[in-house]
Amino acid sequence: MMTRNEWMGPGEDTYEYFCNLNDQGTDELVALRDQQNTQRGDGQHRHERTWGATKAAEMIGRSANWLRENDPEAPKNLAGRGRWSLGRINGLRVAAGTAYKRPVLSNAIVLAMSKFKGGVGNTTNTLHLAHGLAMKGLKVLVWDLDAQHSATQIGGGLVPDLELEDEDLPNSLLLENPSGILDPLCSVVRGTYFHNVDLVPANSSLNDLEIKLIAQYQGQEKAQTEIAPEYRVAAVLGHIKNFYDVVLLDCPPTLGMNTMNGLLAADGVITSLRPEMLDRASLVAFTDGLAGLISNTGKCFSYFRILISQFQDGISADPIKGSVKVSAHKRNEGDLRALYGNAVMNSMMHHSREIGAAATGMSTILANEKPVGSRGAYNRAEGVVNAVVNEVYSDLLTLWDMESDDDE
Ligand SMILES: Nc1ncnc2c1ncn2[C@@H]1O[C@H](COP(=O)(O)OP(=O)(O)O)[C@@H](O)[C@H]1O
Ligand SMILES: [Mg+2]
């Protein structure tokens, strides 16, 4: 006969039951992380991705011949072919005069990657944007504001609940000393395995931070700083954002205190949206939340984009009827463009197994030197990601140009 615990769950030993589940899950994450480390080096110091001559030359904006002539000493692979890291490519961009430098008086642009619905690809899009913009030569900071800490796990190659201590996290800084000097913050900004992409990490303790900030916000607990609890991220970022060109804030799928902090620190918002009805309904609620926040705080955003995410085309032709069946995603895309016009980005993040598989390997397709599946699938995914990155990059250049025009 079966006992209750065998098939129904916790019973009387509820605490132990969940601790066991947690241990089992953590062991699996550690094994996954160890496997990546064995193959590619540890999370922070993973072997850097390199590119061959054709791609490296394209990134520099010069021919492959120019590259070989100007950098004959580039490291070579076993086949004797030159391989270029992003750091090396950036050096060559300077030598070639093709490195982008944002206008001297311009500021870093802070983008809140924010939405209401979970699982839409927000973190995936954040990290692909971070890696893609870094490949353009920009310096990028990713700040993980989500207690689910996927950006820390995938972007940092870490098991966050196991490997991050208080001093690695921004929590106490946000509660006690957001206007403090730079040093304490620097200890919580870490390099990642991707050149010019830094990370302010998170783990589950961000849940506690949120509760404490809410208590301060509601006056139940005395704030330990003069800066209002919803402006703490903005205050901290004020000290460091200009070391970067772009700051991407990976916000949780709520409009709670952590997201509010992200939104109030941001110059703009990119909201990832799956082209499905429930997701669209969630966007309606999100825009309502944004309007509420703006009317309560007087916040202005200079940039807002809806990024269609996990798009599945699936157009199929019916040879008998001679008709073409349009996928539900395609129909929703059309509706979204009709409804929200220019707010919807032209390019979309398509659903791709290659992108999903990269996340399982604690990486992005841009950080992966080799496809996880077929080369064709990788190239298609890369094309999709590049289109999204190019569009955001071009928007950023426009924003910086506008800012420097205003200064004249
Ligand atoms: N474009 C995509 N193609 C395939 N899988 C994706 C894509 N974007 C996200 N995913 C997968 O969907 C899941 C949720 O993505 P995630 O970025 O964590 O969403 P969110 O941050 O909105 O919760 C993850 O398993 C991720 O690997
Ligand atoms: Mg996420």
Side-chain angles (χ1 to χ4, degrees), residues 115 119 121-124 144 146 148-151 250-253:
K115 38 82 218 211
N122 191 57
T123 299
T124 305
D144 192 353
D146 190 346
Q148 286 185 56
H149 53 68
S150 317
D250 187 26
C251 297

Side-chain angles (χ1 to χ4, degrees), residues 94-116:
V94 173
T98 55
Y100 174 77
K101 256 233 88 25
R102 66 178 161 86
V104 177
L105 291 176
S106 67
N107 286 295
I109 293 175
V110 182
L111 296 176
M113 304 294 291
S114 179
K115 38 82 218 211
F116 246 170

Side-chain angles (χ1 to χ4, degrees), residues 171-213:
N171 303 13
S172 62
L173 196 68
L174 291 171
L175 280 172
E176 289 154 26
N177 191 22
S179 54
I181 25 142
L182 217 59
D183 285 2
L185 183 75
C186 284
S187 66
V188 302
V189 179
R190 53 173 58 222
T192 67
Y193 56 85
F194 207 91
H195 182 71
N196 274 353
V197 178
D198 286 351
L199 173 73
V200 177
N203 68 12
S204 302
S205 67
L206 220 60
N207 284 320
D208 295 337
L209 176 76
E210 173 124 28
I211 290 165
K212 286 181 181 147
L213 288 175

Side-chain angles (χ1 to χ4, degrees), residues 115 117-124 150 310 349-352 355-356 359:
K115 38 82 218 211
K117 192 111 171 47
V120 300
N122 191 57
T123 299
T124 305
S150 317
Q310 300 193 16
M349 198 60 115
H350 289 238
H351 186 273
S352 145
I355 293 176

